[in-house]
């Protein structure tokens, strides 16, 4: 079982990512248009970059981790099931997941 503080921190990051998602997208669009537009001055480009830097780091989607649905474990997590490896194996051995084949490794 993962520590409760880590799970809560991950939930906080998810909320921040949703909150700043559209602000981040609009700033990215501005940066792309500024790169294409030669007439923009260097100060205007720095101002646009300042907008992105003012957004909290924890709101970046790259900082999010997938976690096991049952235990909260962040490692060995399978996207298809949303479970960590050892929980997935236990459920397959107990025949709780239809269509999954058992293996004995």
């Amino acid at each position: 079982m993962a520590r409760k503080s880590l799970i809560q921190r991950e939930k906080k990051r998810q909320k921040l990512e949703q909150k700043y998602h559209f602000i981040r997208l609009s700033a990215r669009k501005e940066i792309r248009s500024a790169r294409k537009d030669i007439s923009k001055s260097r100060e205007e480009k720095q101002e646009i970059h300042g907008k992105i830097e003012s957004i909290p780091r924890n709101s970046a989607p790259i900082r999010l981790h997938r976690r096991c649905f049952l235990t909260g474990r962040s490692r060995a997590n399978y996207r298809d099931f949303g479970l960590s490896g050892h929980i997935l194996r236990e459920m397959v051995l107990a025949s709780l997941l239809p269509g999954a084949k058992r293996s004995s490794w």
Side-chain angles (χ1 to χ4, degrees), residues 7-17 58:
I7 295 171
Q8 291 302 318
R9 188 183 308 161
E10 193 66 32
K11 287 180 183 178
K12 183 179 177 182
R13 284 183 182 141
Q14 288 173 349
K15 287 179 186 176
L16 278 174
E17 196 273 331
N58 278 335

Side-chain angles (χ1 to χ4, degrees), residues 71-94:
T71 61
R73 183 178 162 89
S74 64
R75 297 183 180 197
N77 199 347
Y78 289 85
R79 290 183 191 180
D80 296 338
F81 302 101
L83 299 169
S84 60
H86 70 282
I87 298 294
L88 181 69
R89 183 167 188 256
E90 289 175 7
M91 291 180 80
V92 169
L93 290 175

Side-chain angles (χ1 to χ4, degrees), residues 32-86:
R32 280 191 221 116
S33 65
R35 285 181 182 163
K36 292 178 183 177
D37 190 11
I38 300 170
S39 65
K40 289 207 176 192
S41 68
R42 184 180 181 122
E43 290 80 20
E44 290 173 335
K45 291 178 183 178
Q46 286 178 345
E47 185 179 317
I48 295 169
H49 280 285
K51 286 182 184 178
I52 285 189
E53 290 176 0
S54 66
I55 298 173
R57 285 187 175 181
N58 278 335
S59 68
I62 197 73
R63 288 184 174 240
L64 296 176
H65 297 281
R66 287 188 311 274
R67 291 197 168 267
C68 177
F69 180 71
L70 295 177
T71 61
R73 183 178 162 89
S74 64
R75 297 183 180 197
N77 199 347
Y78 289 85
R79 290 183 191 180
D80 296 338
F81 302 101
L83 299 169
S84 60
H86 70 282

